[in-house]
Coordinates of all heavy atoms in Angstrom, one line a residue:
Q589 N 0.8 -1.2 0.0 CA 0.0 0.0 0.0 C 0.8 1.3 0.0 O 0.3 2.4 -0.3 CB -0.9 0.0 1.2 CG -1.9 -1.1 1.3 CD -3.0 -1.0 0.3 OE1 -3.4 0.1 -0.1 NE2 -3.5 -2.1 -0.2
S590 N 2.1 1.2 0.3 CA 3.0 2.3 0.5 C 3.5 2.9 -0.8 O 3.3 2.4 -1.9 CB 4.2 2.0 1.4 OG 4.8 0.8 0.9
I591 N 4.2 4.1 -0.7 CA 4.6 4.9 -1.8 C 5.9 4.3 -2.4 O 6.9 4.1 -1.7 CB 4.8 6.3 -1.4 CG1 3.6 6.8 -0.6 CG2 5.1 7.2 -2.6 CD1 3.9 8.1 0.2
G592 N 6.0 4.1 -3.7 CA 7.2 3.6 -4.4 C 7.9 4.7 -5.2 O 7.3 5.7 -5.4
P593 N 9.1 4.4 -5.6 CA 9.9 5.4 -6.4 C 9.4 5.5 -7.8 O 9.4 4.5 -8.5 CB 11.3 4.8 -6.3 CG 11.1 3.3 -6.1 CD 9.9 3.1 -5.4
R594 N 9.1 6.7 -8.2 CA 8.7 6.9 -9.6 C 9.8 6.8 -10.6 O 9.6 6.3 -11.7 CB 8.1 8.4 -9.7 CG 7.6 8.7 -11.1 CD 7.2 10.1 -11.3 NE 6.6 10.7 -10.1 CZ 6.2 12.0 -10.1 NH1 6.5 12.8 -11.1 NH2 5.6 12.5 -9.0
Y595 N 11.0 7.1 -10.2 CA 12.1 7.2 -11.1 C 13.0 6.0 -11.1 O 14.0 5.9 -11.9 CB 13.0 8.4 -10.8 CG 12.2 9.7 -10.8 CD1 11.9 10.4 -9.7 CD2 11.8 10.3 -12.0 CE1 11.1 11.6 -9.7 CE2 11.1 11.4 -12.1 CZ 10.7 12.1 -10.9 OH 10.0 13.2 -11.0
C596 N 12.6 5.0 -10.4 CA 13.4 3.7 -10.4 C 12.3 2.6 -10.3 O 12.3 1.8 -9.3 CB 14.4 3.6 -9.3 SG 15.5 2.2 -9.4
P597 N 11.4 2.5 -11.3 CA 10.3 1.6 -11.2 C 10.7 0.1 -11.3 O 11.7 -0.2 -11.9 CB 9.4 2.0 -12.3 CG 10.3 2.6 -13.3 CD 11.4 3.2 -12.5
S598 N 9.8 -0.8 -10.8 CA 10.1 -2.2 -10.9 C 9.8 -2.6 -12.4 O 9.1 -1.8 -13.1 CB 9.1 -3.0 -10.0 OG 7.8 -2.8 -10.4
I599 N 10.2 -3.8 -12.8 CA 10.0 -4.2 -14.2 C 8.5 -4.4 -14.4 O 8.0 -4.1 -15.5 CB 10.8 -5.5 -14.5 CG1 10.8 -5.8 -16.0 CG2 10.3 -6.6 -13.6 CD1 11.4 -4.8 -16.9
E600 N 7.7 -4.8 -13.4 CA 6.3 -5.0 -13.6 C 5.6 -3.7 -13.8 O 4.7 -3.5 -14.5 CB 5.7 -5.8 -12.5 CG 6.0 -5.4 -11.1 CD 7.1 -6.2 -10.5 OE1 8.1 -6.4 -11.2 OE2 7.0 -6.6 -9.3
T601 N 6.1 -2.6 -13.1 CA 5.5 -1.3 -13.3 C 5.9 -0.8 -14.7 O 5.0 -0.1 -15.3 CB 6.1 -0.3 -12.2 OG1 5.8 -0.8 -10.9 CG2 5.6 1.1 -12.4
K602 N 7.1 -1.1 -15.2 CA 7.4 -0.6 -16.5 C 6.5 -1.2 -17.6 O 6.1 -0.5 -18.5 CB 8.9 -1.0 -16.8 CG 9.9 -0.2 -16.1 CD 11.3 -0.7 -16.5 CE 12.4 0.0 -15.6 NZ 13.8 -0.6 -16.0
I603 N 6.2 -2.5 -17.5 CA 5.4 -3.1 -18.6 C 4.0 -2.6 -18.5 O 3.2 -2.7 -19.5 CB 5.5 -4.6 -18.6 CG1 4.9 -5.2 -17.3 CG2 6.9 -5.1 -18.7 CD1 4.6 -6.7 -17.4
V604 N 3.5 -2.1 -17.3 CA 2.2 -1.6 -17.2 C 2.1 -0.1 -17.6 O 1.3 0.3 -18.4 CB 1.6 -1.8 -15.8 CG1 0.3 -1.0 -15.6 CG2 1.4 -3.2 -15.4
T605 N 3.1 0.6 -17.1 CA 3.1 2.1 -17.4 C 3.4 2.4 -18.9 O 2.9 3.3 -19.5 CB 4.1 2.8 -16.5 OG1 3.8 2.5 -15.1 CG2 4.0 4.3 -16.7
F606 N 4.4 1.6 -19.4 CA 4.8 1.8 -20.8 C 4.4 0.5 -21.6 O 5.3 -0.2 -22.2 CB 6.4 2.0 -20.8 CG 6.8 3.1 -19.9 CD1 7.5 2.8 -18.7 CD2 6.7 4.4 -20.2 CE1 7.9 3.8 -17.8 CE2 7.1 5.4 -19.4 CZ 7.7 5.1 -18.2
A607 N 3.1 0.3 -21.6 CA 2.6 -0.9 -22.3 C 2.9 -0.9 -23.8 O 2.9 -2.0 -24.4 CB 1.1 -1.0 -22.1
D608 N 3.2 0.3 -24.4 CA 3.5 0.3 -25.8 C 5.0 0.0 -26.1 O 5.3 -0.2 -27.3 CB 3.2 1.7 -26.4 CG 4.0 2.8 -25.6 OD1 4.2 2.7 -24.4 OD2 4.5 3.7 -26.3
K609 N 5.8 -0.1 -25.1 CA 7.2 -0.5 -25.3 C 7.4 -2.0 -25.4 O 6.9 -2.7 -24.6 CB 8.1 0.1 -24.2 CG 8.0 1.6 -24.0 CD 8.7 2.3 -25.1 CE 8.7 3.8 -24.8 NZ 9.2 4.6 -25.9
D610 N 8.1 -2.4 -26.5 CA 8.3 -3.9 -26.6 C 9.6 -4.3 -26.0 O 10.0 -5.5 -26.0 CB 8.2 -4.3 -28.0 CG 9.2 -3.6 -28.9 OD1 10.1 -2.9 -28.4 OD2 9.1 -3.7 -30.2
R611 N 10.4 -3.4 -25.4 CA 11.6 -3.8 -24.7 C 12.1 -2.7 -23.8 O 11.8 -1.5 -24.0 CB 12.8 -4.1 -25.7 CG 13.3 -2.9 -26.5 CD 14.5 -3.4 -27.4 NE 15.2 -2.2 -27.9 CZ 16.3 -2.3 -28.6 NH1 16.9 -3.5 -28.7 NH2 16.9 -1.2 -29.0
H612 N 12.9 -3.1 -22.8 CA 13.4 -2.1 -21.8 C 14.9 -2.5 -21.6 O 15.3 -3.7 -21.5 CB 12.7 -2.2 -20.5 CG 11.3 -1.7 -20.5 ND1 10.9 -0.4 -20.6 CD2 10.1 -2.4 -20.6 CE1 9.6 -0.3 -20.7 NE2 9.1 -1.5 -20.7

């Protein structure tokens, strides 16, 4: 429930937030 870092996101956050990206 707590606040996470916006500028160092987890890999699962990346694939949700940047769903249009096919690679990181």
Side-chain angles (χ1 to χ4, degrees):
Q589 297 290 329
S590 51
I591 311 163
R594 183 190 317 179
Y595 301 106
C596 190
S598 65
I599 190 64
E600 50 264 43
T601 300
K602 288 180 185 178
I603 65 166
V604 171
T605 306
F606 307 103
D608 58 321
K609 302 289 185 184
D610 57 9
R611 67 176 192 169
H612 294 283

